[in-house]
Amino acid sequence: QVHLVESGGGSVQTGGSLRLSCAASGDDPSTYCMAWFRQAPGKEREGVGIIYSGGMTDYADSGKGRFTISRDNAKNTSYLQMNSLKPEDTAMYYCAAETRRCALVPAWLRYWGQGTQVTVSS
């Protein structure tokens, strides 16, 4: 019943910024935890961060400092603000959601978007 759609990806130069969006629908998205992951070619999917229903956040090492996750419950949307982007941030970025277990563990998250590509050029 949960449907997620990412948007906001694109191509930027090193040091640039992007804000990714994840729009949720289907149930009561305000109760979901919503996580962000990324996967670069040839690498495993890694967690970026997560935001819980109450607005608290947690970040993996990859997302600390330069990235900020937020949510707008009125719009049923979470955001990943990415600043000071580096070439190593190039990846497909995915949004995931869960109504119970909340962790940056892909196997524990049942609902996924299709991804949005972020490319950072030197």
Side-chain angles (χ1 to χ4, degrees), residues 47-68:
V48 176
I50 188 169
I51 186 165
Y52 301 93
S53 61
M56 297 180 62
T57 56
D58 191 22
Y59 298 94
D61 289 342
S62 62
K64 292 179 180 178
R66 298 181 295 118
F67 295 179
T68 302

Side-chain angles (χ1 to χ4, degrees), residues 38-46 88-92 117:
R38 67 185 185 183
Q39 186 168 24
K43 294 187 176 182
E44 295 183 352
R45 181 167 43 188
E46 65 174 346
E88 53 263 43
D89 295 319
T90 295
M92 184 72 74
Q117 179 67 41

Side-chain angles (χ1 to χ4, degrees), residues 2-117:
V2 179
H3 182 63
L4 305 173
V5 179
E6 302 97 334
S7 62
S11 181
V12 298
Q13 296 292 320
T14 298
S17 299
L18 285 172
R19 189 178 74 162
L20 308 183
S21 299
C22 176
S25 63
D27 288 315
D28 186 1
S30 66
T31 67
Y32 305 165
C33 58
M34 302 182 73
W36 286 94
F37 293 80
R38 67 185 185 183
Q39 186 168 24
K43 294 187 176 182
E44 295 183 352
R45 181 167 43 188
E46 65 174 346
V48 176
I50 188 169
I51 186 165
Y52 301 93
S53 61
M56 297 180 62
T57 56
D58 191 22
Y59 298 94
D61 289 342
S62 62
K64 292 179 180 178
R66 298 181 295 118
F67 295 179
T68 302
I69 298 173
S70 61
R71 68 191 298 161
D72 184 342
N73 288 337
K75 297 182 178 180
N76 297 327
T77 300
S78 68
Y79 303 96
L80 176 62
Q81 178 68 47
M82 304 187 292
N83 299 323
S84 302
L85 285 164
K86 305 174 182 179
E88 53 263 43
D89 295 319
T90 295
M92 184 72 74
Y93 283 73
Y94 298 92
C95 177
E98 181 56 68
T99 60
R100 296 180 295 179
R101 304 174 188 88
C102 294
L104 288 175
V105 181
W108 293 4
L109 297 162
R110 292 176 291 169
Y111 309 108
W112 293 82
Q114 64 183 2
T116 185
Q117 179 67 41

